[in-house]
Structures are given as C-alpha cells and as structure tokens.
Amino acid sequence: MSLTELSGASTPEPATATETPARPARRTSPFGALLLRLHFYAGILVAPFLVVAALTGLAYTTTPQLDKILYSDQLTVAQVGDRPLPLAEQVGAARNAHPEGSITTVQPGDGDRTTRVTFALPELGEKQHTVYVDPYTAQVKGQLTTWFGSTPATTWLDDLHRNLHLGVVGRHYSELAASWLWVIALGGVILWWRRRSASRATARHLLVPDLSAGKGVRRTRGWHATTGIWLTIGLLFLSATGLTWSRYAGANFGAGLDALSARAPEISTSLTTVPDEPAETGGGHQHGASGAGGVVESAAFDRVAAAARTAGLNGPVEIAPAAEAGSAWTVTQVDNTWPVAKDRVAVDPAGGQVTARSDFADWPLLAKLSALGIQAHMGLLFGLVNQILLAALALGLLCVIVWGYRMWWQRRPTRADRRALAGTPPARGGVRGMPLWVLLIGVPVTVAIGWALPLFGITLLAFLVIDVIAGAVSRRRRPAVVPTSPAPAGS
C-alpha cells in the first residue's frame, strides 16, 4: 500500500453553498500526526521505486508461460517414449555436444521433460551452459545459457526485477522498495483504522469503499484505503521475503539464521575410501564424463540415481557430482510446488550406497519458512494460482499508488491567489507532542530497525533532514506579524 490517507491534517475540503457547515476539524494526536507525515513522505518519495518493483514483478510472473513459448523445443520432447534410456547414454550425448567444461548437475527427464545436463565454464562466471537431451532417444534438443537453471528469458526478467540490469548498484532500488513497503502498508492500515473509528463508521467501510462519499478526494481515499487493506497481508509477505535475499538486510537476515542455527542443514559427502578415477575410454555413453571433481564414469549417474530412488527420492531430482574426487555425490529433490519435495541424499558413486541423508521435514522452522517464502515470492509454490495472486498484488499496488498521488493532486489549493500543483503536506510537530516515555522506547526501536534494514535507516534519516530543511524554509518565508497600535481615544 502506498499513500493511505494523506488528508488527516491537511486543509479540509471547501464546503459548497448547499452543504451544511463542516464541523470543526478533529484534533490529531501526536502519534497520528507523526505517522501521517511519515506516511506522506514515504508515499511521495518511495512510491516510484514501488512502481518499478511492481511492474517488473508483474512481468516476472509470466515467466513459466514465456519459457514454454520460447523454449518448448529445448524443455519438452515431441513424443513420450515407453521408458527413458540409461542416464549414461544421455550424459554421453550431452558431453559429445559440449566437450568443454565440467558437469555440475544433471536433472533426469521424465514424462515430456527433457534431461538437463549443466556445464560450468570459468568464462561464464555464475552462469552455465545447459544441454537438453531427449531422455527416450538421447537426441540433443538444444543448448541454452542458464543461471541456476533459469532460461535466458527468465534470467533477464529476474535481473530486471532485482537490479534493473545495473548490477550491484541496481540492487539498492529493490531493497529500498522492500524496506519501506511494510512500513507504508502497516502505517496505512493504522491511519485508516483511526479515521474509521473517529467517524464511527461501520467495520464494513474498512473493506468496502464508501461510494456515498460523492466525488473528489473522499471517494479516491475510499478506493485507495480499502484496496490497500485487502492487499496488506500480501504486501507484508512480499516485503519480508524480498528482504531475505537483499544485499544488506539479507546479509543481516543470514547472520541471524547463523546465530540461531536455523540454516538448512549441510549434508556430509565424506567417504572412508577414495575410489580410483576411471580413465576416458572412447566416445558416446561408454566414456567418462568430466564432472566437478574431475573425470567420472558416466555409468555412475545411473547408480547414483537408482540409489536415490530406492531411498525414496521421488519426483524431479538433481544429481550433482562431487566437488572433489573421493567424495560422495548428492541427489536433491527439486519439486518446488506445494507440497514441496527437498529431501537430499549423499551417494557413493562407485558402489551406489547412500552415505548420508537430510530430509526437509527435519529442517529448522526458519529455514523451512525461508525456502517456502522464496518459492512463493517467485510464483512457483502454488503454480498458476501463485502467479495470479502475485499479479493481482502488483496490479493492486499500482492502483493504490495512483490513487495516492491523485489524492495529493486533488487536495491542491485552487483559489486564484493560492494555486499550487499539489496538496500541502500534513502538519508537522508530532515528535514534539510525544510523551517522553514513548520517545525513550521508540527511538531505540527505530535505531534497531534501521540497523537491521540499513537502507530504511538511511532514507528515514534523509526524510528527517528534508523535513527539518522544509520547516526552516517555511518559517523564513512566513511573513512577520506586525502588532497594530490601538487607535487614539476620540478618533
């Protein structure tokens, strides 16, 4: 939610000749005045960042369908066979098509999905080359440059949403938007609740716009505020999950997980014996495949996959050769739709024995929530329903922001001698009216939040500086009041 209720301490709407005189303006409490002014500044100055985040996030929700349109030949097979060929043959075909690099992961295909063999090359950095193989014929269907399994189109839209293709510098925009989104949303709810309570409106008007308000700012406020109420839970979720992998707040979140031992547990890949490395013996599926730990036997992929299936790892899985020779390989479930499957096993590639196991059910609660939250934020957890909900949140947020700016414009002075392009800010002075005990509690809490969310803290300080400067300029421009002398007697 953006500017939920900019008018609490602003100049009231002029009454027409047919209206009854307006009752005196309600005296705003110091807390209400402070919250209203903070909400105003955040809405005006942070809303542009939220607009960009909403638009790029809306575009990202289309990526599953976009991948099917653009990369159908690579991702799917034209005809599903009776049973897949051995992985050794599929990996061998991928290696023949891509002689360079080391194999980092293999995702066996089933149904109409192709097998994905991913190769790492030093010149690609974080990105990889993924070769797509028909699991029923071992025919190579194509090759794409991927990023953690994402196609080029998904990667491009992901970078657009995260950093506007500006690298590390661009990540500041998305972190700033996520850092303020929860503040603006909760502040708007509180302000709307206070206004409804003061006017003794029914609870229904919290969730349904008051269409009897006529035209102008009151009707706009009704749509703005009630839409924001409906979006609040979703916006708080997007803010929290977005911050978990942001640059600065995300690092603090990670440090908190480490302090609480709440990370996803590591799985041991140590082996008591070091198997001999097989030599390359020729072409096709009979030769060794260069993996992360050096040259590995292609047939090991079938042994490791069979051991994982026997251990109960069903559905889509990802096989990762050992990072170094003499270590176990890992097999991880990669089904990100609800109910998710993220169990992992370590397997000795030589003998096919499971040497270690880590089940998602045993993860710490915070690790589970973080993993599920990220998948929901990306639109994967509940499939198409998840995508629709995210798209609705993005569109709703855009509407709320537009209504907020419209209220600001509608409240502008229109008299010939007082014309302005926008409405006046809410009155200042909330901090000065606060009880001492509130300041003694509120200031340390605000500092702590600013430390945990650095971009929030920095911009909050900037808003304070702007407000102080604006107040000083306003006082200088205010004409001095010259006392008039009393008229002489008998005049």
Side-chain angles (χ1 to χ4, degrees), residues 48 69 88 92 94 106 110 166 254 286-287 327 380 395 423 486 488:
I69 295 172
V106 173
D110 60 359
L166 297 176
Q286 296 178 335
H287 68 66
S327 297
L380 302 175
L395 290 172

Side-chain angles (χ1 to χ4, degrees), residues 256-269:
L257 291 180
D258 291 335
L260 296 172
S261 300
R263 293 271 192 183
E266 298 290 337
I267 187 169
S268 173
T269 58

Side-chain angles (χ1 to χ4, degrees), residues 10 44 65 72 77 108 134 174 196 228 291 324 328 363 386 389 402 408 417 439 457 461 464 484:
S10 303
I44 295 296
Q65 289 72 30
S72 177
V77 299
D134 187 328
S174 56
R196 294 290 88 191
E324 56 185 19
W363 287 19
N386 203 157
L389 288 175
V402 170
W408 189 32
D417 59 336
L439 296 177
L461 182 61
L464 178 61
T484 59

